Amino acid sequence: MEPRFPTPLDDFLFDLRGYLVLENAVEPELLAELNHAFDNFPTLQRGEWWGNAQRRDYTNDTGFELHNCVEVGEPFERLIDHPSWINHVRHYCGEEDSYVQGLFIDECIASIRSSGGHHPVHSGGYRGAMRGKYGYEHGVFRCGQCNIIVALTDIGEGDGPTMVVPGSHKSNFLHPLAGDYGKGDRMDDLPGAVPVYLKAGDAVLFVDGIMHGGSSRTNTEGERRVTIYRYGASWASTRFGYEYSAALLDRLTPERRKILQPIAPIRPPKP
């Protein structure tokens, strides 16, 4: 696909709302390969490893979540620097025009959610962690982390779409009806929250500091399939301590390896 670049309208809407929808972000061939890979995931229990990837569901309700999914097949490697969004995340969270300019993938997750599942509301500007904080000053974006969620299936009403509270990445106040962030509260009827409907192949880009979560999946047929890649600054490290295998790093293109391992370890020479 031809590379996409953030436009002045993208910058305006991202600053205003905290998120962008990238339509037709993934080409049909790659979409088919990713779905084929999902079809062939092994049955894993929570905490069980598959090579260097691990099933690590965030909660009992979030469904199957395979962390470090970039390790389980070449189609997932192509998402690392996909031309539909790599220039956007470089612009928003890659420390543009600084001495540490560059990106790092904090988390990469393959997610499958069936009927009844949801992801509780979390984040927001109020007392937000620096890791996901939104920033713009002196003509440059300085976001701690931006997320790319790619829809591998159509995600419409009842399919458990991602929900966001537009503008909440800048909020100085606790949402009075959101309860205790991250403790299980559903987003379905949260005042100010809107669903982000996606067609298969679309992606949503958002700053991690926006209030967000996954609404309840009420449809009984099919499943919600997405990949989640969280990008941050080059000096970051993975949230849970996952490491990328030498086998993966050795087979990646230099550009992709630079994103997974932006700072190669420095060791003394072997005796």
Side-chain angles (χ1 to χ4, degrees), residues 194-209:
V194 299
V196 182
Y197 297 131
L198 302 171
K199 293 291 187 182
D202 292 348
V204 57
L205 180 161
F206 58 93
V207 62
D208 194 63

Side-chain angles (χ1 to χ4, degrees), residues 125-195:
Y126 176 76
R127 297 185 179 178
M130 287 295 294
R131 191 182 193 93
K133 194 172 182 63
Y134 174 83
Y136 181 86
E137 58 182 0
H138 310 302
V140 290
F141 287 92
R142 287 290 182 263
C143 299
Q145 187 175 104
C146 287
N147 304 325
I148 296 286
I149 296 182
V150 177
L152 305 189
T153 54
D154 289 347
I155 303 176
E157 187 173 355
D159 290 321
T162 297
M163 295 188 73
V164 297
V165 179
S168 58
H169 57 304
K170 299 180 182 180
S171 177
N172 291 302
F173 296 90
L174 178 68
H175 194 304
L177 300 179
D180 195 359
Y181 290 164
K183 301 302 182 182
D185 287 359
R186 294 180 184 253
M187 290 203 69
D188 303 25
D189 299 314
L190 185 69
V194 299

Side-chain angles (χ1 to χ4, degrees), residues 15-233:
D15 177 68
L16 176 70
R17 305 185 308 185
Y19 74 99
L20 298 171
V21 173
L22 307 176
E23 296 181 349
N24 301 310
V26 172
E27 57 273 35
E29 296 79 11
L30 178 53
L31 184 64
E33 290 181 49
L34 288 166
N35 271 304
H36 179 74
F38 270 63
D39 290 338
N40 289 281
F41 284 164
T43 300
L44 299 172
Q45 301 301 312
R46 290 182 70 176
E48 189 175 356
W49 288 83
W50 178 30
N52 200 37
Q54 183 188 33
R55 180 175 177 181
R56 186 184 183 129
D57 308 350
Y58 278 110
T59 74
N60 292 330
D61 298 311
T62 51
F64 178 98
E65 294 180 321
L66 185 67
H67 285 243
N68 237 23
C69 69
V70 72
E71 294 273 4
V72 302
E74 191 273 339
F76 297 92
E77 297 170 21
R78 276 183 268 163
L79 298 179
I80 294 171
D81 60 349
H82 197 282
S84 286
W85 59 74
I86 192 64
N87 292 306
H88 285 73
V89 291
R90 283 195 183 111
H91 182 51
Y92 296 132
C93 66
E95 296 273 38
E96 198 172 47
D97 295 329
S98 78
Y99 76 100
V100 288
Q101 180 170 295
L103 289 171
F104 177 71
I105 290 182
D106 177 4
E107 295 179 84
C108 47
I109 305 163
S111 171
I112 303 172
R113 189 169 301 154
S114 56
S115 183
H118 79 104
H119 195 115
V121 57
H122 56 289
S123 294
Y126 176 76
R127 297 185 179 178
M130 287 295 294
R131 191 182 193 93
K133 194 172 182 63
Y134 174 83
Y136 181 86
E137 58 182 0
H138 310 302
V140 290
F141 287 92
R142 287 290 182 263
C143 299
Q145 187 175 104
C146 287
N147 304 325
I148 296 286
I149 296 182
V150 177
L152 305 189
T153 54
D154 289 347
I155 303 176
E157 187 173 355
D159 290 321
T162 297
M163 295 188 73
V164 297
V165 179
S168 58
H169 57 304
K170 299 180 182 180
S171 177
N172 291 302
F173 296 90
L174 178 68
H175 194 304
L177 300 179
D180 195 359
Y181 290 164
K183 301 302 182 182
D185 287 359
R186 294 180 184 253
M187 290 203 69
D188 303 25
D189 299 314
L190 185 69
V194 299
V196 182
Y197 297 131
L198 302 171
K199 293 291 187 182
D202 292 348
V204 57
L205 180 161
F206 58 93
V207 62
D208 194 63
I210 195 174
M211 286 185 71
H212 63 282
S215 61
S216 300
R217 192 175 193 283
T218 57
N219 291 341
T220 57
E221 296 183 359
E223 56 191 20
R224 173 190 184 268
R225 292 181 173 186
V226 302
T227 58
I228 307 166
Y229 281 50
R230 305 188 194 280
Y231 294 83

